[in-house]
């Protein structure tokens, strides 16, 4: 079995479009939420959202390509390019069929879908764009990344709602571990902040009703009432350890375990006993070759919805028993909002940055304890703590559960350059 390490990171998020800004805002506990009006003709109601700001599309994608691609493809290309730059290699020494791209999206090019359906109904079928299909399908994101990089190995787009990009990372990890690939660009992307998405999520009572941006995404808080819809992309370069070491790559962390399960319970609600999520965590720890007590940090799915946070707490207690009380637990969504299919990848980036820097960011916005959520969610500012082994959880509609286990990389001379970053 091969070891798999992380050698490059690329992020596009509501709290930063590069690793340095993203990490600085995480460390400072600064969220990226704004209050927006979406239905001016029907309602003056406003909604909190977590948008990408100042996306430099034309610096990375030519104007012709921008017209022919949905923003999910543009976001994904940007994150992948940044991750490859960070890795310091184009991997030209490798067989291109051993270089993969696994980039997930939970919803795909929904902006294009909405736009072109409106065009069809209002202007007729002949006015529907010839680019509609390649713009709307989610797999075009990894496809275009492959076109730009020349990577010809395994290439696909996992779709499992909020677990999508965690599945992408897990499948890329296994492909390298079992010898099918030598490296992979893996992660996820989402770009669905538009009226139709807001209507759909709001009408199913999944989104927050709060108008206070500081109290909108408040995972594990007793007053939580729904998630903040976010967008962005996260890409990680996963690489076979011996190849990374031979080229002198600086290494962030090791990805060592992957657990994937299904609740088989309900279309949108998690199983109340947390059994599916618990099993995913158990499997990730088992594959990593460690004991549950070796884990000292969990990046929770932590959506700020009442069922999720309560159920995830139950699952953590089931897996870790008394050790659960000693775990540091936080939710990156308290600052980024819920990036849906991109959440797992962006949160994996947050995990390895915290692991490398020995600092665990706070769960921002938390004020009121919930008796059902009674673990240590790091609510009074970030803390300095060495992280030797960490889990990152992603739990999606459909009952999909993924847990990724990361190990600290011990060769001090090869750690990445972000160690000394300041907020």
């Amino acid at each position: 079995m091969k070891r798999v390490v992380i050698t490059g990171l690329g992020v596009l998020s509501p709290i930063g479009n590069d690793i340095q800004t993203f990490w600085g805002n995480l460390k400072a506990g600064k969220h990226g939420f704004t209050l927006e009006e979406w239905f001016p003709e029907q309602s003056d109601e406003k909604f909190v959202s977590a948008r990408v700001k100042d996306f430099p599309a034309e610096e990375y994608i030519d104007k012709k390509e921008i017209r022919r691609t949905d923003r999910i493809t543009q976001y994904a290309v940007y994150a992948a390019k940044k991750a490859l730059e960070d890795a310091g290699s184009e991997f030209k020494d490798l067989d291109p069929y051993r270089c993969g791209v696994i980039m997930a999206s939970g919803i795909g090019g929904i902006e294009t879908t909405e736009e072109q359906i409106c065009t069809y109904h209002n202007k007729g079928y002949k006015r529907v764009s010839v680019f509609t299909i390649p713009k709307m399908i989610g797999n075009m994101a990894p496809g275009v990344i492959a076109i730009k990089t020349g990577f010809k190995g395994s290439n696909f787009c996992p779709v499992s709602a909020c677990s999508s990009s965690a599945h992408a990372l897990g499948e890329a990890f296994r492909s390298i571990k079992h010898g099918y690939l030598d490296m992979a660009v893996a992660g996820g992307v989402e770009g669905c902040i538009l009226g139709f998405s807001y209507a759909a999520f709001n009408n199913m009572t999944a989104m927050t009703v709060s108008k206070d941006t500081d109290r909108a995404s408040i995972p594990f808080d007793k007053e939580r009432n729904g998630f903040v819809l976010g967008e962005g992309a996260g890409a990680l370069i996963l690489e076979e350890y011996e190849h990374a070491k031979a080229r002198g790559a600086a290494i962030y962390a090791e990805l060592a375990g992957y657990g994937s399960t299904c609740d088989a319970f309900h279309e949108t609600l998690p199983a109340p006993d947390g059994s599916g999520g618990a099993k995913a965590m158990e499997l990730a720890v088992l594959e990593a070759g460690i004991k549950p007590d070796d884990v000292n940090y969990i990046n929770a799915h932590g959506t700020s919805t009442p069922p999720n946070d309560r159920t995830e707490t139950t699952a953590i207690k089931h897996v870790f028993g008394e050790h659960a009380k000693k775990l540091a637990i936080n939710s990156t969504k308290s600052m980024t909002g819920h990036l849906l299919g991109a959440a797992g990848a962006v949160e994996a980036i947050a995990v390895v940055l915290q692991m490398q820097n020995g600092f665990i960011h706070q769960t921002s916005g938390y004020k009121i304890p919930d008796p059902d959520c009674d673990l240590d969610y790091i609510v009074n500012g970030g803390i300095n703590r060495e992280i030797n082994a960490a889990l990152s959880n992603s739990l999606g509609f459909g009952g999909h559960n993924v847990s990724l286990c990361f190990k600290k990389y011990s060769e001090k001379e090869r750690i990445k350059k972000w160690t000394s970053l300041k907020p």
Side-chain angles (χ1 to χ4, degrees), residues 2 4 6 102-104 154 156 158 160 163-178 180-181 184-188 236 238 255-261 284 287 344-345 348 392 394 401-406:
K2 310 287 188 178
V4 182
I6 299 162
I102 305 176
M103 184 66 64
S154 186
F156 60 98
S160 52
S163 299
S164 298
S165 56
H167 272 125
L169 289 167
E171 294 304 311
F173 157 71
R174 290 268 176 85
S175 293
I176 298 170
K177 177 180 177 179
H178 294 294
Y180 299 106
L181 295 174
V185 181
L236 295 86
L238 303 188
L255 180 51
Y258 166 43
S260 177
T261 66
E287 184 171 22
S392 182
S394 296
N401 308 295
V402 176
S403 189
L404 301 169
C405 185
F406 300 86

Side-chain angles (χ1 to χ4, degrees), residues 127-168:
R127 297 293 297 276
V128 173
S129 171
V130 297
F131 300 114
T132 298
I133 297 301
K135 287 179 73 173
M136 68 185 280
I137 53 179
N139 65 291
M140 197 53 60
V144 171
I145 292 169
I147 291 168
K148 290 182 174 296
T149 59
F151 297 160
K152 297 182 179 181
S154 186
N155 186 295
F156 60 98
C157 175
V159 180
S160 52
C162 313
S163 299
S164 298
S165 56
H167 272 125

Side-chain angles (χ1 to χ4, degrees), residues 33 48 208 210 212-218 224-228 304:
F33 306 143
V48 177
T208 182
S210 175
D212 179 356
T213 55
D214 293 330
R215 290 280 292 163
S217 183
I218 49 173
R224 67 190 185 278
N225 54 61
F227 66 78
V228 170
S304 189

Side-chain angles (χ1 to χ4, degrees), residues 169-392:
L169 289 167
E171 294 304 311
F173 157 71
R174 290 268 176 85
S175 293
I176 298 170
K177 177 180 177 179
H178 294 294
Y180 299 106
L181 295 174
D182 293 322
M183 66 78 60
V185 181
V189 61
E190 211 73 86
C192 63
I193 296 184
L194 61 154
F196 176 70
S197 301
Y198 267 89
F201 280 119
N202 183 67
N203 292 349
M204 69 179 295
T205 67
M207 289 200 320
T208 182
V209 298
S210 175
K211 310 305 177 189
D212 179 356
T213 55
D214 293 330
R215 290 280 292 163
S217 183
I218 49 173
F220 305 105
D221 187 293
K222 188 174 183 179
E223 293 186 350
R224 67 190 185 278
N225 54 61
F227 66 78
V228 170
L229 186 62
E231 64 175 0
L236 295 86
I237 305 303
L238 303 188
E239 191 172 347
E240 192 274 319
Y241 170 69
E242 293 298 337
H243 181 268
K245 188 175 180 180
R247 72 177 182 88
I251 293 171
Y252 279 108
E254 181 176 357
L255 180 51
Y258 166 43
S260 177
T261 66
C262 183
D263 287 347
F265 172 73
H266 189 270
E267 291 89 339
T268 58
L269 294 174
D273 63 0
S275 55
K279 189 64 175 179
M281 285 185 272
E282 289 173 355
L283 291 171
V285 169
L286 179 66
E287 184 171 22
I290 61 176
K291 299 176 182 178
D293 286 2
D294 294 325
V295 175
N296 59 343
Y297 163 60
I298 296 177
N299 188 289
H301 187 56
T303 59
S304 189
T305 59
N308 175 91
D309 298 358
R310 179 174 59 249
T311 300
E312 190 170 10
T313 298
T314 299
I316 292 169
K317 290 178 179 178
H318 177 79
V319 175
F320 294 95
E322 286 299 309
H323 183 62
K325 298 176 183 178
K326 301 176 183 178
L327 290 167
I329 304 167
N330 63 10
S331 172
T332 301
K333 292 182 183 71
S334 66
M335 288 172 272
T336 64
H338 196 345
L339 276 59
L340 306 180
V346 171
E347 289 158 19
I349 291 170
V351 169
V352 297
L353 289 171
Q354 290 173 96
M355 177 173 282
Q356 185 193 74
N357 287 276
F359 181 87
I360 299 175
H361 73 67
Q362 67 179 304
T363 299
S364 188
Y366 182 101
K367 287 185 179 179
I368 303 175
D370 181 349
D372 291 331
C373 302
D374 56 354
L375 299 176
D376 183 2
Y377 306 109
I378 315 299
V379 297
N380 295 312
I383 60 171
N384 293 306
R385 182 175 297 180
E386 183 176 5
I387 304 170
N388 295 313
L391 294 181
S392 182

Side-chain angles (χ1 to χ4, degrees), residues 66-78:
I66 288 173
R67 292 194 299 271
R68 296 183 176 191
T69 56
D70 189 271
R71 60 176 156 151
I72 64 161
T73 299
Q74 298 166 27
Y75 286 0
V77 166
Y78 174 87

